[in-house]
Amino acid sequence: MEAPVQPARAPEPEPKAEGTGRLIVGPAIKVKGEIGACDTLVVQGEVEASMSGRVMEVASGGLFKGKVELEEASVSGKVEGTLTVSGLLTVARGGEVRGKIRYGELQIESGGVIAGDVGLLGDDPQEDKLAKSTKSNGASKSEKDEKEDSEEKAGA
């Protein structure tokens, strides 16, 4: 009697290397500069930087200063600067966010602090135009430039 033939199995897909970087800045560690290719940043120490990524977690005792664009942020420590979160920004009890803050959704626990220029992402048409022009090829014209161009063409 012959053994049954097993069908060939496709190899398991390799996990994507792109966007999987996780950086943990531990307590008593200080980092300064620009952070690139970081999917998740965990701040337990001090970070003074600019970055864009997917997720940032600032632990109790952690401090982030600078400019950051994220999909999601959770703050139990302190954030100072420009924070743009397209999804959920959570400020936990004892957490503080100060500066220019834009968010898609906001959750503030009792005892959490958010202060400064705070607004819902998409409420400011000028910011939306700027965001769209920076997401495109960067060669976008302002309304004023477009109006001047059309006036020149009409006069010619």
Side-chain angles (χ1 to χ4, degrees):
M1 195 170 187
E2 290 182 27
V5 176
Q6 295 291 328
R9 292 181 56 164
E12 294 292 319
E14 292 288 322
K16 289 184 181 179
E18 182 181 24
T20 58
R22 181 176 177 90
L23 175 62
I24 300 173
V25 178
I29 304 228
K30 294 180 181 182
V31 174
K32 197 174 199 178
E34 186 171 329
I35 300 171
C38 184
D39 181 65
T40 302
L41 174 65
V42 179
V43 180
Q44 299 168 340
E46 291 182 27
V47 175
E48 187 174 337
S50 62
M51 74 164 275
S52 62
R54 199 176 64 76
V55 177
M56 179 171 74
E57 301 167 16
V58 181
S60 180
L63 171 64
F64 181 93
K65 288 183 179 182
K67 181 177 181 177
V68 63
E69 294 180 9
L70 305 158
E71 293 176 23
E72 184 179 319
S74 175
V75 180
S76 297
K78 294 183 180 181
V79 174
E80 298 174 4
T82 302
L83 174 64
T84 304
V85 181
S86 61
L88 178 63
L89 167 58
T90 303
V91 182
R93 178 185 196 106
E96 291 183 29
V97 181
R98 297 180 185 276
K100 182 174 181 179
I101 303 138
R102 296 293 180 267
Y103 57 86
E105 295 179 68
L106 179 63
Q107 179 179 14
I108 305 173
E109 294 180 3
S110 178
V113 175
I114 186 167
D117 179 4
V118 181
L120 183 63
L121 199 59
D123 272 358
D124 186 344
Q126 291 296 347
E127 284 183 349
D128 287 348
K129 288 177 190 171
L130 179 61
K132 286 177 186 174
S133 70
T134 57
K135 284 182 184 177
S136 66
N137 63 9
S140 177
K141 291 184 175 183
S142 71
E143 280 185 24
K144 183 180 175 185
D145 290 339
E146 289 175 3
K147 185 177 179 182
E148 288 173 356
D149 287 349
S150 63
E151 287 173 356
E152 286 175 12
K153 286 178 186 176

